[in-house]
Amino acid sequence: MSFDILIASNVLLWAAFLALAALMVGVIRQIGLLHERSAPLGAMMVDHGPDIGDKSPVFNVKTFTDEKDLLVGRAITPGRPSLLMFTGPSCPVCAKLLPIIRDVAASEGADVILISDGTAAEHREFLSNHPLKNEYYVNSPEIGMRYQVSKVPYGVLLDADGVIKGKGLCNTREHVESLFETVRLGHASLQSYLKDSSTAKEVTVGEQLH
């Protein structure tokens, strides 16, 4: 009798183990689907100014800190891309993002031009709290109007020839990095890359079904 009980208990244990294993496989599959669906979005394009692939307008302005002439829209350092980052002296996200912008641009080998709007007193206070390192800082409503930027922080990536390669609203490190990532992916934005990837998967599944 005891032997029969032992066999029965082993059978029950194996049944419970197999049921648990099947449950875990289902959970892992669902986690994978959720991860794919919640892939991090890149910088969202919300302006109606010059488009991806266009040459940037050129602006001859002066830097705020030392009043030096600066040509915005073409390479500052020959052969290097430029990251135009539209900011505001009273924007807390802009201040928080500055070290991130600096770090990403340094790793990507890009020059950074911070383009802001406001009073001279506001700019001086911002720069006293957030000193520049290798960035350029200009006060130019004209550039923001030409690019039709309505929200900040907003980034525009130009290649060494002044061609717009990526742009969008930047609130996180992932957003800033996505401007450079789109160049490597060959898409106008990370959203378009994800959309095309999803479409390609649907086409592949459809072909397999037929």
Side-chain angles (χ1 to χ4, degrees):
M1 179 68 67
S2 59
F3 183 72
D4 292 338
I5 294 174
L6 180 62
I7 292 176
S9 63
N10 282 335
V11 170
L12 290 174
L13 284 174
W14 273 105
F17 172 77
L18 292 174
L20 182 61
L23 179 63
M24 288 299 297
V25 170
V27 170
I28 292 171
R29 185 172 182 274
Q30 289 300 316
I31 291 174
L33 290 173
L34 287 173
H35 178 74
E36 181 177 346
R37 291 173 183 172
S38 61
L41 291 177
M44 297 290 292
M45 292 187 288
V46 297
D47 72 275
H48 300 285
D51 207 351
I52 304 290
D54 293 344
K55 270 209 169 186
S56 171
V58 178
F59 307 89
N60 195 345
V61 296
K62 290 186 178 295
T63 57
F64 180 80
T65 50
D66 50 16
E67 289 291 313
K68 289 185 177 180
D69 290 330
L70 185 69
L71 201 63
V72 177
R74 295 294 181 268
I76 294 176
T77 305
R80 283 168 62 97
S82 300
L83 177 60
L84 314 184
M85 187 60 65
F86 294 88
T87 67
S90 60
C91 168
V93 178
C94 300
K96 182 179 179 180
L97 202 65
L98 181 56
I100 295 172
I101 295 169
R102 182 179 293 143
D103 183 55
V104 173
S107 65
E108 296 287 349
D111 292 317
V112 176
I113 303 96
L114 301 174
I115 302 167
S116 192
D117 189 9
T119 66
E122 288 175 327
H123 295 310
R124 283 194 290 268
E125 181 180 359
F126 177 84
L127 292 172
S128 67
N129 294 326
H130 309 282
L132 300 177
K133 290 190 177 180
N134 298 316
E135 305 82 26
Y136 301 88
Y137 191 97
V138 300
N139 177 21
S140 176
E142 178 191 1
I143 303 177
M145 290 172 61
R146 182 66 181 83
Y147 269 98
Q148 299 185 36
V149 173
S150 59
K151 297 179 181 180
V152 294
Y154 198 86
V156 177
L157 177 64
L158 309 179
D159 67 10
D161 296 318
V163 176
I164 301 171
K165 305 302 290 186
K167 61 177 181 175
L169 193 64
C170 297
N171 291 316
T172 65
R173 184 184 189 94
E174 288 75 17
H175 291 165
V176 179
E177 289 176 338
S178 74
L179 297 177
F180 295 92
E181 191 64 24
T182 55
V183 178
R184 288 186 281 269
L185 295 174
H187 286 259
S189 68
L190 199 55
Q191 289 83 11
S192 68
Y193 169 74
L194 293 173
K195 181 179 179 180
D196 288 351
S197 297
S198 177
T199 302
K201 287 180 181 178
E202 292 176 0
V203 171
T204 301
V205 171
E207 290 176 346
Q208 290 175 348
L209 292 174
H210 287 83

